């Protein structure tokens, strides 16, 4: 029997994407180029039912546009630095029995950094999706990852997330579907 205790389980996972459209204005159609892992997140929703939550401080119309582009129905318009004070967000996580948070968005060394630390402080297993994060300053990327690692925040890719989920669920057909998509 495979020990899956170190693997993320989709039944207890939530993907949260923060301010994907930051600084993009009307160029939201370029999100896939900026965040190469978004396509894999859509596969995660199709195969495992884990729908990304969109957190956006640019207003409802931007949040809706981003949600449409990533295939999400769940948006929260608020300041990312205040997301843990939003009852809609915390209630949603509590009602889904979420234990593992996968985070992506802008900016890694700012909003993502703070949200990740606050999640770890609250006892969540936090993973940053390196193919779904942008930095304001690329030189700060490794510094942010290093500091977060000290607090137990792991770095992964969206592809790795899908494989973890497939193995964790233990369904051979689902594993095969994920492997086919990744090849």
């Amino acid at each position: 029997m495979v020990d899956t205790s170190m693997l993320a389980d989709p039944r207890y996972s939530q993907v949260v994407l923060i301010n994907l459209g930051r600084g993009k204005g009307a160029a939201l159609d370029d999100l896939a180029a900026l965040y190469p892992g978004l396509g894999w997140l859509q596969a995660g929703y199709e195969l495992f039912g884990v729908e990304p939550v969109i957190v956006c401080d640019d207003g409802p119309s931007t949040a809706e546009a981003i949600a449409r582009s990533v295939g999400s129905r769940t948006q929260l318009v608020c300041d990312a630095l205040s997301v843990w004070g939003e009852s809609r967000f915390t209630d949603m996580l509590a009602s889904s029995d979420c234990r593992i948070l996968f985070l992506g968005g802008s900016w890694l060394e700012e909003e993502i950094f703070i949200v990740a630390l606050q999640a770890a402080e609250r006892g969540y297993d936090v993973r940053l999706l390196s193919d779904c994060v942008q930095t304001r300053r690329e030189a700060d990327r490794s510094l942010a990852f290093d500091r977060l690692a000290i607090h137990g925040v792991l770095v992964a890719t969206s592809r790795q997330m899908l494989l973890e989920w497939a193995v964790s669920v233990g369904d051979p057909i689902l594993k095969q579907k994920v492997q086919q998509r990744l090849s």
Side-chain angles (χ1 to χ4, degrees):
M1 175 124 195
V2 175
D3 178 14
T4 59
S5 60
M6 295 300 295
L7 300 174
D9 187 322
R11 295 167 287 206
Y12 307 109
S13 296
Q14 183 61 64
V15 175
V16 179
L17 301 173
I18 300 169
N19 290 323
L20 284 181
R22 168 150 296 131
K24 310 307 177 279
L28 291 177
D29 54 341
D30 294 338
L31 288 179
L34 290 169
Y35 303 98
L38 289 182
W40 299 115
L41 297 184
Q42 291 171 341
Y45 178 51
E46 292 168 14
L47 294 169
F48 299 98
V50 179
E51 179 183 343
V53 173
I54 305 303
V55 175
C56 177
D57 64 7
D58 287 338
S61 61
T62 301
E64 288 173 21
I66 293 168
R68 275 193 308 277
S69 72
V70 300
S72 175
R73 296 167 293 170
T74 308
Q75 311 117 42
L76 182 61
V77 178
C78 73
D79 171 30
L81 297 177
S82 304
V83 73
W84 289 105
E86 293 287 332
S87 60
R88 184 172 165 220
F89 181 72
T90 55
D91 291 350
M92 178 207 52
L93 292 178
S95 69
S96 67
D97 198 19
C98 175
R99 299 177 202 151
I100 307 162
L101 285 180
F102 287 90
L103 300 176
S106 296
W107 301 116
L108 168 63
E109 69 277 30
E110 297 172 16
E111 283 89 353
I112 307 302
F113 179 79
I114 297 299
V115 171
L117 286 178
Q118 290 175 327
E121 182 179 52
R122 287 166 171 77
Y124 288 95
D125 178 350
V126 184
R127 314 215 179 163
L128 297 179
L129 295 170
S130 64
D131 54 355
C132 290
V133 294
Q134 289 290 314
T135 57
R136 186 186 302 262
R137 295 188 44 205
E138 190 59 33
D140 292 342
R141 186 179 190 88
S142 65
L143 297 172
F145 283 149
D146 290 347
R147 169 101 189 274
L148 289 166
I150 291 169
H151 299 285
V153 176
L154 303 174
V155 178
T157 66
S158 301
R159 293 169 55 97
Q160 290 169 329
M161 177 189 70
L162 290 178
L163 283 170
E164 283 189 54
W165 286 354
V167 172
S168 178
V169 169
D171 180 337
I173 295 171
L174 200 49
K175 279 194 271 189
Q176 185 177 28
K177 285 180 181 180
V178 168
Q179 288 176 316
Q180 287 172 345
R181 286 204 182 196
L182 297 179
S183 60

